[in-house]
Amino acid sequence: MGRILGLLKGCEKVFGDGFGRWAQAISLILDGVTDPPYIVVRRASSDQAVDFTAEEDLVFNAVMEDGGVTYDTATGIFTLAAGLYELEFFGSWTNFGTPDTTAATAEWVSHPSNAALAIGLTTWVVAASSTQNTGCQPVSKILYRASAGEQVKVRATTAGGGGTADLLRGSSYAVVRKVA
């Protein structure tokens, strides 16, 4: 028997203790459906120097919209409740250390293992002055089913060959939203 059906079966016809508990349970379920947790964070106060060879974590130092997902602005770690999430990262990059050989690449990973959450879904951005003759993919967006208390983050990768670049303040952000 499903959770809601089980609650309905025990419901009383008059407003009393059973009905009050039922109404509260239904309210909690509907709140999670109509207003799911989310957060929007961005790099706000300064550019972040990133070494792709060292595979450093990206840190967004400002919370723009807090809809109930836990985020640490000092470490860049999101803590999730159980459920299905849409994870999106958009990176704007500047000051490439070696413009002709460095591509800014980043992906969503699990913390603390740094295991990729979706293999092959990384960003790919090269310097405007690059001679690589390649396009850009500045967004990494995935669907991910999380366990309660699981932690995730955005991490620079060596997929672009290593090197350095700065994550640009003001226009680099991440959005985490629970979809189910």
Side-chain angles (χ1 to χ4, degrees), residues 40-43 60 64 88-92 108 139 154 167-168 170-175:
V40 179
V41 297
R42 76 178 180 135
R43 187 77 196 169
F60 307 95
M64 304 313 292
E88 178 179 17
F89 161 69
F90 178 87
S92 288
W108 286 95
V139 178
V154 181
L167 184 64
L168 193 59
S171 59
S172 299
Y173 64 89
V175 179

Side-chain angles (χ1 to χ4, degrees), residues 24-49:
Q24 184 178 14
I26 293 298
S27 175
L28 288 172
I29 292 168
L30 292 178
D31 285 347
V33 171
T34 60
D35 192 17
Y38 70 96
I39 192 166
V40 179
V41 297
R42 76 178 180 135
R43 187 77 196 169
S45 61
S46 62
D47 295 349
Q48 178 185 353

Side-chain angles (χ1 to χ4, degrees), residues 22 39 62 79 90-91 125 136 148 164:
W22 175 82
I39 192 166
T79 303
F90 178 87
V125 179
C136 293
T164 61

